[in-house]
């Protein structure tokens, strides 16, 4: 079903367009070897993924700082796989991780095609709680598709706070009824947008159960059914 009267599309970045897990795994392969951390990398990454999501929610909800997020997710992942890593090494690891991560440029399948499809008829924008979004977009060669980029630091709050959506709409000069938000997090991207009065489409890559009435896609190219 096509969404009518839409003029602007707002995307989340990590886990929606930019393949965070693939780029993160490549980063860990480099930095763990660099710092001589003796750990089964595949096992570490397998455990790190849900731990990272847990701490991101805590950070998003304002329960921990960005530095605590960076340290605690690594510390818990190492403890979980039974690897004793000193704090000084953990700090070096997360510094290298943050520096190296945006240099990788893997995107979700269909990203460029859907941006090419949308660009002639819609203005395109980014709303993210993540960091280094400009570097990620430029290294992945999709920066030029977007008219505005809103991050939580600029807005002074994080998704799902309505104020970050209001901020993004204001700098994009877009009325709520003419915009739509697309993201992978049902709480931060979808419910946050809906609570602000902005329509939303859930990028449900893993086909999770979702309450009735929320538009969803499992592949980015399925957005053509709505836009």
């Amino acid at each position: 079903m096509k969404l009518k009267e839409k003029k602007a599309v707002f995307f989340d970045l990590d886990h929606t367009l930019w393949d965070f897990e693939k780029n993160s795994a490549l980063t860990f392969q480099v930095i763990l070897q660099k710092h001589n951390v003796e750990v089964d990398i595949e096992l570490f990454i397998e455990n790190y993924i849900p731990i990272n999501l847990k701490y991101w929610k805590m950070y998003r909800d304002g329960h921990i700082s960005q530095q605590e997020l960076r340290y605690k997710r690594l510390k818990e992942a190492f403890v979980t796989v039974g690897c004793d890593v000193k704090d000084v090494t953990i700090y070096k690891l997360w510094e290298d991780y943050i520096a190296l991560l945006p240099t990788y440029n893997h995107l979700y399948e269909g990203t460029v095609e859907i941006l090419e499809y949308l660009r002639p008829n819609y203005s395109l924008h980014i709303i993210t709680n993540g960091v280094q979004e400009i570097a990620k977009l430029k290294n992945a060669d999709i920066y030029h598709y977007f008219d505005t980029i809103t991050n939580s630091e600029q807005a002074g709050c994080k998704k799902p706070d309505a104020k970050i959506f209001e901020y993004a709409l204001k700098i994009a000069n877009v009325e709520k009824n003419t915009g739509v938000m697309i993201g992978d997090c049902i709480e931060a991207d979808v419910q946050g947008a809906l609570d602000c009065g902005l329509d939303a489409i859930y990028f449900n890559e893993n086909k999770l159960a979702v309450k009735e009435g929320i538009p969803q896609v499992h592949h980015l190219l399925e957005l053509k059914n709505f836009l």
Side-chain angles (χ1 to χ4, degrees), residues 134-154:
I134 292 177
K136 292 173 181 175
L137 291 165
K138 287 185 174 180
N139 288 332
D141 197 26
I142 58 172
Y143 177 78
H144 59 284
Y145 288 106
F146 298 98
D147 295 317
T148 67
I149 299 167
T150 296
N151 62 35
S152 54
E153 186 174 330
Q154 291 170 309

Side-chain angles (χ1 to χ4, degrees), residues 3-35:
L3 297 177
K4 297 179 180 179
E5 300 180 354
K6 300 304 177 187
K7 298 179 181 179
V9 181
F10 296 84
F11 282 99
D12 178 44
L13 182 56
D14 293 352
H15 299 103
T16 300
L17 300 176
W18 195 78
D19 194 334
F20 179 90
E21 301 304 354
K22 182 177 287 187
N23 295 321
S24 178
L26 291 168
T27 302
F28 275 124
Q29 288 174 12
V30 172
I31 65 173
L32 291 172
Q33 291 178 5
K34 173 184 175 181
H35 292 282

Side-chain angles (χ1 to χ4, degrees), residues 134-200:
I134 292 177
K136 292 173 181 175
L137 291 165
K138 287 185 174 180
N139 288 332
D141 197 26
I142 58 172
Y143 177 78
H144 59 284
Y145 288 106
F146 298 98
D147 295 317
T148 67
I149 299 167
T150 296
N151 62 35
S152 54
E153 186 174 330
Q154 291 170 309
C157 57
K158 309 178 192 74
K159 295 179 292 183
D161 193 317
K163 291 192 289 293
I164 192 171
F165 296 99
E166 298 281 3
Y167 180 92
L169 287 162
K170 182 177 180 180
I171 66 169
N173 194 26
V174 171
E175 298 293 330
K176 289 180 184 179
N177 65 312
T178 66
V180 59
M181 176 71 195
I182 298 163
D184 72 291
C185 182
I186 196 72
E187 178 185 3
D189 299 313
V190 177
Q191 197 59 54
L194 293 174
D195 289 345
C196 176
L198 181 66
D199 283 341

